[in-house]
Amino acid sequence: MQVSLTTPPVAHVTADAAPVLRLEGITKTFPGVKALDGVTLELYPGQVTALVGENGAGKSTIVKTLTGIYQPDGGTISLGGAPVHFATAQDATAAGITAIHQETVLFDELSVAENIFIGHAPRTRFGLIDWPKMRRDAQEILSRIDADLDPDMPLRELGIASKHLVAIARALSVDARVVIMDEPTAALSHKEIEELYELVERMRAEGRAILFISHKFDEIFRIADRYTVFRDGQHVGSGLISEVDEAELVRLMVGRSVDQIFPQRAHNIGDEVLKVVGYAHPTEFDEINFTLRRGEILGFYGLVGAGRSELMQALFGVTKPSKGAVRIDGQVRVIRSPAEAVENGIVYVPEDRGRQGAVIGLPIFQNVTLPSLAQTSRHGFLRLSEEFALAREYTERLDLRAAALDQDVGTLSGGNQQKVVIAKWLATKPKVIILDEPTKGIDIGSKAAVHGFMAELAAQGLSVIMVSSEIPEVLGMSDRVIVMREGLIAAELEGEALTPENLVRHAAGIGARP
Amino acid sequence: MTSFLRSREAILAAAILALLVLISSRFPAFVEPGNLARVFTDTSPLILLALGQTVVILTRCIDLSVAANLALTGMVCAMLNAAYPGVPVAVILILALGMGAVMGMINGLMVWKLKIPPIVVTLGTMTIYRGLIFVLSGGAWVNAHEMSAAFTGFPRVDILGLPVLAWIAILVTGLFFLGIARTPLGRAFYAVGGNPHAAVYTGIDVGRTQFMAFTISGMLAGLTGYLWVARYSVAYVDIAGGFELEVVAACVIGGISIAGGAGTILGTLLGALFLGIVKNALPVVDISPFWQLAISGTAIIVAVAFNSRSGRSKGRIILKRAEGHA
């Protein structure tokens, strides 16, 4: 398809206009599983429709159906009133439907221009790629969205926000009528999110229909015109955002009302467990000093890229600090590897859920005992009875539902796999557990379960470090909060000082030293 | 039990059985115990190398240098024996194990410390080790008459009706069963291949585990190098040329996933036996040995197709009511 840069913006359409894209009675069944059960979805030109639902409600499946990756088993898709069928992703793109994914699906080794035009690059008379035209067109589209990017720059050199811009430029290059944005702000900082909102506004003004998938209620109410709610693969409600409130959306999503959000905690904070003195890294962080006490939940707040995860990885021995010391229970310890961290009672649950996942192929009990093998073996040989006992103790504590402990962990549902991973860490009897964005991208119901669990761990005397970018979570769960900015500790907040305004102020460096 | 009957090991065992029945219908002497023992002995080098390769593949690596390692170690042992016939076999065995292990360590170190992809590392060392044989021997052969009787006789010593070579394969297989099931290192091989990121955060050193796998693989290649040269009573530059591919084939047919983290020692054993039987049976039933290549190739593709079919995702459980059924 050729780029039509001269297309004039379509006039803003009123709310009662006909939908440009209409899905009706869409059903998608996987072996033994009905992922979508007769769902309806309408997208209107010049309007943003927010699609909300808990994890596993069928949001990803509908996106894949819309973009031609899945073919529905039943139901109809009509575009501009005419029924359409997308056999491949190319069909969907050709029809003017494009998706911007949470993890951008672009090519790191190709240039910005190539990424924008891949699949529909301008050709010369001889059928070869017309590089000068491609660069020119790319430059033109980028300048239209105020993106200051060099078309020849390899994509791998860009940050996530810039990659989103490239994805948006790609959407514009095919003159997409329907733009699907799948949690586009999940990994962006505050400023980047604001810029993204402006782009959404612009695309709306140009008359494009936008499907906006998000877990964040504030942004749904800020930029969406309409909402559609899915629950367990079914359509449970839709309408105008102006006619709904947060409580109603939550009620639709979970099928019950959620009033209490954060667990009440008894604050039995004991002696100092961990003391970090003068931790520094050549490029990532410097002058890190803090203490952690028994039974305490210490929040780490900051913008994305403030160096929080990097600090945690150094504490866990994944990377090495250039200087500084760690004292555990008052004694100086050197942590050079994750194995030494585990030995010293520090465990780390990383942010990337694919990474923290279970080892598929190993049975449940072997997953649980993986970091505790020294404890369950004698003379270098593993004792299976010991392993089973350890695995049983901790999986029962977490109320894991499984037929047998020697069953492959891959046969468990996601939630139960998560429990296996947590059981694994608890079985090492840690003193300090570091949770990096423990509730990122998970639904409200699961969030509450994670929060409850954290509170319970702290009550049992475990010290928790929680890295989180969600202000309500930081405020609701932490006894004390350290705010990081650009690799340094910007503030340590406690009690009265623990307010949303203070968090944002210190994280953004407003009124801070120059 | 039912789950075992549906496992790929059981299917492979059934295929081997069917193969034997088919061969015996045309040539009954093939399945006589004496001949089966001969076939097993003949397959022993393949079993030894395939076991080493198994742990390497489990950790998401591959060792293409095993055949060159075997040939180089074999040549060094043969030249040592030719020059100093008095050196006892025990010393030669230790030398073979040690030399093989060192060559494996070289592979492992480059994968671990320099982060070079294993296929590149072992492709390089394969050529280097093979080239070193020529440098050492000047292209000359070490023939049977230059080797001592003790040197060539050791693999053939008969114990309870089986030669030492077969006993070594049985012993090493037993050690692997034990090591994989009952040692932290055995567990680490699966964890590293199954989910390397999770392994790091669990405190398992991925690079070190891969290094250990290469060391084991190299050690077995070295040991087999001496046994091979002694059994055939000849050493030259090209011995076991291309054998590394047969070794990888045995693993793949046995169900060791090339993606790492999945497979069993029993599977590898059966995969090697399958290839060994095919190789030994074809000349007997008067089929050109070139068919062996076609049959091995078909077996590999069937095995891999089987793997990817069983590994296919069953879709996500999204509907609440589907939970528990899947």
Side-chain angles (χ1 to χ4, degrees):
Chain A
M1 189 182 285
Q2 283 299 307
V3 202
S4 39
L5 292 171
T6 49
T7 313
V10 184
H12 202 297
V13 191
T14 49
D16 51 284
V20 58
L21 183 77
R22 188 176 155 78
L23 281 75
E24 205 171 4
I26 296 289
T27 300
K28 177 70 190 173
T29 311
F30 295 107
V33 183
K34 219 169 194 182
L36 290 175
D37 191 2
V39 299
T40 301
L41 178 67
E42 289 174 340
L43 300 181
Y44 295 82
Q47 294 190 22
V48 177
T49 303
L51 178 59
V52 291
E54 296 196 65
N55 279 355
K59 299 182 307 254
S60 305
T61 311
I62 200 85
V63 171
K64 288 183 175 162
T65 307
L66 271 175
T67 49
I69 294 163
Y70 289 162
Q71 277 65 53
D73 304 324
T76 53
I77 304 178
S78 46
L79 188 66
V84 285
H85 172 73
F86 303 140
T88 64
Q90 280 84 358
D91 289 356
T93 311
I97 296 176
T98 187
I100 295 160
H101 295 276
Q102 184 180 353
E103 296 94 14
T104 45
V105 280
L106 296 168
F107 304 91
D108 270 348
E109 293 304 319
L110 299 184
S111 71
V112 168
E114 283 172 294
N115 268 289
I116 294 174
F117 285 103
I118 194 149
H120 58 276
R123 303 293 181 94
T124 64
R125 280 183 296 141
F126 308 109
L128 301 173
I129 290 176
D130 187 345
W131 275 90
K133 180 167 164 53
M134 188 161 88
R135 282 201 194 92
R136 264 197 323 273
D137 291 352
Q139 188 65 65
E140 208 156 350
I141 295 169
L142 288 169
S143 61
R144 244 168 78 199
I145 57 174
D146 292 332
D148 185 21
L149 297 173
D150 175 2
D152 288 323
M153 188 185 265
L155 196 78
R156 73 183 121 79
E157 292 178 13
L158 304 182
I160 294 174
S162 302
K163 285 182 182 176
H164 274 309
L165 291 177
V166 175
I168 290 166
R170 179 171 165 73
L172 298 179
S173 76
V174 296
D175 199 24
R177 281 200 279 176
V178 177
V179 178
I180 300 163
M181 306 184 86
D182 191 355
E183 289 194 58
T185 61
L188 301 187
S189 70
H190 195 67
K191 180 167 165 286
E192 292 163 343
I193 290 173
E194 287 299 325
E195 288 168 4
L196 186 94
Y197 289 163
E198 279 174 33
L199 278 171
V200 173
E201 287 297 341
R202 197 173 308 201
M203 289 194 284
R204 169 162 49 199
E206 289 174 352
R208 302 179 205 278
I210 296 157
L211 181 65
F212 197 92
I213 298 173
S214 177
H215 282 292
K216 298 181 187 166
F217 278 53
D218 53 345
E219 74 184 15
I220 292 170
F221 282 93
R222 172 155 169 198
I223 67 165
D225 303 295
R226 293 174 174 271
Y227 68 91
T228 292
V229 184
F230 282 6
R231 186 171 70 225
D232 300 340
Q234 289 172 331
H235 173 268
V236 289
S238 52
L240 293 169
I241 279 286
S242 52
E243 292 164 8
V244 74
D245 60 12
E246 254 181 56
E248 172 67 6
L249 274 189
V250 171
R251 196 191 59 74
L252 283 171
M253 276 172 69
V254 299
R256 66 198 138 83
S257 59
V258 180
D259 31 28
Q260 194 263 348
I261 303 174
F262 294 103
Q264 291 298 314
R265 291 179 45 219
H267 298 260
N268 298 322
I269 294 172
D271 298 336
E272 177 184 302
V273 174
L274 174 75
K275 186 178 178 72
V276 176
V277 187
Y279 245 47
H281 182 278
T283 59
E284 291 170 348
F285 51 81
D286 201 1
E287 297 170 36
I288 303 295
N289 297 289
F290 70 89
T291 60
L292 178 66
R293 289 179 290 168
R294 192 173 310 284
E296 185 179 35
I297 298 181
L298 175 62
F300 265 78
Y301 180 75
L303 300 178
V304 171
R308 294 170 298 162
S309 298
E310 289 76 6
L311 171 62
M312 297 311 152
Q313 291 189 343
L315 285 178
F316 190 60
V318 178
T319 56
K320 291 178 186 63
S322 57
K323 60 180 186 197
V326 173
R327 296 165 80 93
I328 294 163
D329 287 335
Q331 285 174 308
V332 176
R333 299 281 178 188
V334 182
I335 295 170
R336 283 164 304 199
S337 70
E340 288 183 352
V342 173
E343 261 170 49
N344 282 303
I346 300 177
V347 299
Y348 175 48
V349 183
E351 175 179 353
D352 188 331
R353 275 187 286 159
R355 292 183 178 207
Q356 77 182 48
V359 180
I360 307 295
L362 285 187
I364 295 169
F365 80 96
Q366 293 189 4
N367 264 287
V368 173
T369 57
L370 210 48
S372 314
L373 291 183
Q375 187 187 326
T376 58
S377 56
R378 190 163 51 192
H379 309 309
F381 284 96
L382 301 169
R383 287 174 300 170
L384 295 188
S385 56
E386 297 275 319
E387 286 195 58
F388 266 106
L390 190 69
R392 188 169 298 115
E393 181 186 343
Y394 285 93
T395 50
E396 273 174 8
R397 237 170 91 179
L398 294 172
D399 192 26
L400 177 85
R401 267 167 274 164
L405 287 177
D406 55 3
Q407 117 192 32
D408 183 349
V409 77
T411 61
L412 296 178
S413 72
N416 278 324
Q417 282 187 19
Q418 193 93 0
K419 285 184 184 174
V420 171
V421 174
I422 295 168
K424 168 173 91 175
W425 291 123
L426 294 186
T428 66
K429 301 184 181 65
K431 296 185 183 113
V432 177
I433 184 163
I434 304 171
L435 301 167
D436 200 341
E437 302 282 5
T439 63
K440 185 178 182 177
I442 71 175
D443 60 77
I444 289 176
S446 309
K447 269 186 187 175
V450 171
H451 292 149
F453 183 74
M454 274 167 63
E456 199 180 308
L457 290 182
Q460 289 167 6
L462 196 65
S463 306
V464 180
I465 293 179
M466 178 188 69
V467 175
S468 173
S469 301
E470 288 187 39
I471 290 175
E473 179 172 83
V474 171
L475 294 176
M477 293 304 302
S478 313
D479 298 305
R480 199 153 50 92
V481 176
I482 288 175
V483 183
M484 282 185 73
R485 185 170 65 87
E486 293 171 358
L488 302 173
I489 290 182
E492 191 174 323
L493 305 172
E494 199 171 1
E496 296 282 294
L498 208 44
T499 63
E501 294 74 24
N502 275 341
L503 286 179
V504 173
R505 205 163 54 78
H506 290 292
I510 300 164
R513 60 195 162 160
Chain B
M1 193 62 207
T2 53
S3 72
F4 174 76
L5 288 179
R6 273 181 296 160
S7 75
R8 51 173 311 119
E9 284 82 4
I11 292 168
L12 191 52
I16 290 174
L17 218 59
L19 192 64
L20 287 176
V21 168
L22 193 73
I23 297 163
S24 67
S25 69
R26 286 187 62 178
F27 197 85
F30 189 84
V31 292
E32 277 170 14
N35 189 59
L36 287 182
R38 267 191 295 281
V39 172
F40 182 80
T41 308
D42 197 53
T43 313
S44 293
L46 179 62
I47 293 172
L48 288 170
L49 262 59
L51 288 172
Q53 189 73 249
T54 297
V55 291
V56 173
I57 296 179
L58 278 179
T59 63
R60 290 198 181 176
C61 294
I62 195 156
D63 187 352
L64 296 179
S65 72
V66 282
N69 179 334
L70 177 160
L72 177 55
T73 310
M75 176 58 85
V76 168
C77 291
M79 288 173 70
L80 178 72
N81 181 250
Y84 306 98
V87 174
V89 169
V91 172
I92 291 195
L93 279 172
I94 291 166
L95 170 79
L97 284 166
M99 244 190 93
V102 167
M103 283 190 265
M105 286 172 176
I106 292 171
N107 289 331
L109 278 175
M110 283 195 274
V111 170
W112 179 15
K113 295 297 181 188
L114 303 181
K115 312 274 180 225
I116 308 174
I119 193 163
V120 177
V121 167
T122 58
L123 204 56
T125 53
M126 170 175 98
T127 317
I128 295 169
Y129 297 161
R130 196 59 87 171
L132 278 178
I133 308 174
F134 191 88
V135 172
L136 281 180
S137 67
W141 291 36
V142 181
N143 287 306
H145 64 85
E146 296 168 75
M147 299 178 189
S148 71
F151 181 85
T152 55
F154 176 72
R156 293 178 238 201
V157 173
D158 192 286
I159 303 173
L160 302 171
L162 275 180
V164 161
L165 176 59
W167 281 114
I168 288 178
I170 291 168
L171 179 74
V172 171
T173 308
L175 284 176
F176 267 72
F177 269 113
L178 188 68
I180 287 287
R182 285 300 183 88
T183 64
L185 182 63
R187 192 67 56 74
F189 289 143
Y190 284 90
V192 163
N195 190 341
H197 299 298
V200 169
Y201 287 105
T202 307
I204 294 172
D205 190 327
V206 172
R208 193 177 156 275
T209 307
Q210 290 169 334
F211 169 79
M212 293 303 290
F214 276 109
T215 306
I216 291 170
S217 171
M219 197 190 272
L220 286 173
L223 172 67
T224 313
Y226 157 63
L227 296 172
W228 182 295
V229 164
R231 178 161 189 256
Y232 295 107
S233 301
V234 64
Y236 53 95
V237 172
D238 288 328
I239 55 169
F243 194 55
E244 62 278 343
L245 296 182
E246 207 175 315
V247 169
V248 174
C251 294
V252 171
I253 291 171
I256 309 299
S257 166
I258 286 292
T264 63
I265 294 303
L266 180 62
T268 298
L269 181 65
L270 292 171
L273 286 175
F274 178 84
L275 284 181
I277 290 168
V278 168
K279 187 175 171 185
N280 279 281
L282 292 183
V284 173
V285 294
D286 205 20
I287 297 175
S288 153
F290 291 105
W291 277 102
Q292 186 212 329
L293 297 174
I295 291 175
S296 310
T298 311
I300 292 170
I301 292 170
V302 168
V304 171
F306 202 91
N307 266 356
S308 58
R309 224 168 63 89
S310 61
R312 196 172 296 165
S313 144
K314 293 186 184 74
R316 285 172 54 208
I317 299 169
I318 293 171
L319 291 177
K320 290 264 190 297
R321 58 176 178 268
E323 211 160 330
H325 294 292

